Amino acid sequence: MTNLSAHRRIPFEAGQFDLVVFDESSQCDIASALPLLYRAKAVAVIGDPKQLSHISGLKRGQDHSLLEKFGLIDDFMHWSYAQQFLFGLAAVQVRSDAIVGLVDHHRSHADIINFSNAEFYEERLRVATRYDRLKTPGRGEPGIRWIHVKGACQLPPTGGAVNMPEVKAVVDTLRDLVLAKGYAGSLGVVTPFRAQANAITETVNSDEELSDAVIRQSFLADTVHKFQGDERDLMIFSPVVAQGVPQGALAFLKANGNLFNVAITRARAQLLVVGDRTACARSEIGYLSRFASYVADLASAKEQEEAACVADLGPDYPVVSNPERVSDWERIFYRALYQAGIRPIPQFPIEKFVVDFLVTNGERRLVIEVDGERYHRNWTGELCRRDQLRNQRLFELGYGVMRFWVPEIRDDLEGCVAQVCEWQRG
């Protein structure tokens, strides 16, 4: 139940429950939680401080004035209704070892979550998504695609911003997905501004064929706050930013990076960004500009992968961008593979990974990893878990994986090369 509905369902008795669990507590204000805390012997508070907080109708100045009036500002500043939320309060009430970080991310395609992982979570997350369960629009589709639309913003009477060329492009994209290509996964459109969400909803509803089709796919077009805690197989993000964007709208976006984090991570299989890529890249909104560059880099990496797969790099280990990562045994193994007729590509990037070697044979792909003594000396449960997730992701992307320990290569170089040759023949 919600915090505010508890009084209608359960008695107001101290310690009535052994444990009360607050979910989405970054959206929970402290005041509405107090009656539930009274009913609890123990509490578990679950939330993400990098997502949306509750909306306060109390101005910051009012909050400070009340705390000061009653002599509470020195000791209870962290209880501020306007500035604090339940998760933030709980985090300063307990020891650091009582805070459990949930690091395995299970919802989204790696292309989607990797940006937020770097931008908001200091690379603490591990992608544990089951790709076989994702409903992608087509085989081999990337996790993020940007559909460029040169838009134009207007300031509606209700405030915010609306971009009608972008509205049209969003609806055209929906028609292509659902009516032309027959995509059957759940769908949503998320945008920072209420006026834009309303314009998209109205345009979809005015198209009888489209509205009849998407209603079966849990379709919703709304602002980010409506999607907190929700998800869809495919999400369209309408950033609205374009020529003529109101200064108030820009200021709102600059001050609300968490809103963007929520918006782009509602998608499981694919995020389609429909908007003015040039305007977003040149905007003074730091995270949005970096996101535009990130999506461009994803597309560039795909092109580089395709070019690298047909390259012959020569018999000696080639120059790579991070030579300090390369062991002498990797260089020896490269030369031996090349002499056997194999054309390995060293230090090859695949999503967020860099593998020691990639070998190709037509449409087939093989990743080769050379694990040295230092790697195994530092091998821990965490490293084991990361290796499992890494291998799982590579398998899901269609790569085979071979691992060789340095002692194997040192003691039986010919046998190790023969294993790769056998894969090449197969």
Side-chain angles (χ1 to χ4, degrees), residues 326-335 357 370 406-407 409-411 413:
V326 181
S327 70
D328 291 340
W329 286 104
E330 287 174 53
R331 298 178 186 276
I332 291 169
F333 198 37
Y334 175 91
R335 290 193 290 269
F357 297 107
V370 178
V406 163
I409 297 173
R410 182 190 62 208
D411 299 338
L413 178 59

Side-chain angles (χ1 to χ4, degrees), residues 146-176:
W146 194 304
I147 300 171
H148 175 63
V149 179
K150 187 171 177 57
C153 286
Q154 298 173 333
L155 176 63
T158 54
V162 65
N163 184 331
M164 292 310 296
E166 199 167 291
V167 169
K168 181 181 182 303
V170 166
V171 177
D172 288 345
T173 301
L174 286 168
R175 286 189 62 85
D176 179 62

Side-chain angles (χ1 to χ4, degrees), residues 30 54 69 75 84 86 120 122 124 203 208 245 248 288 315 336 341 343 358 369 385-386 402 409 418:
I30 298 167
H54 69 285
K69 178 179 178 180
D75 297 326
Q84 186 63 285
L86 183 60
F120 300 102
E122 294 81 42
R124 293 194 302 268
T203 307
E208 187 174 345
V245 61
L288 186 58
R343 297 296 178 260
L358 175 69
E369 299 279 39
R385 175 65 174 155
R386 288 188 180 273
M402 279 189 190
I409 297 173

Side-chain angles (χ1 to χ4, degrees), residues 118-135:
E119 184 76 15
F120 300 102
Y121 297 106
E122 294 81 42
E123 299 281 5
R124 293 194 302 268
L125 301 181
R126 301 180 300 206
V127 181
T129 305
R130 288 285 303 273
Y131 284 77
D132 56 332
R133 297 178 181 175
L134 297 182
K135 296 180 180 178

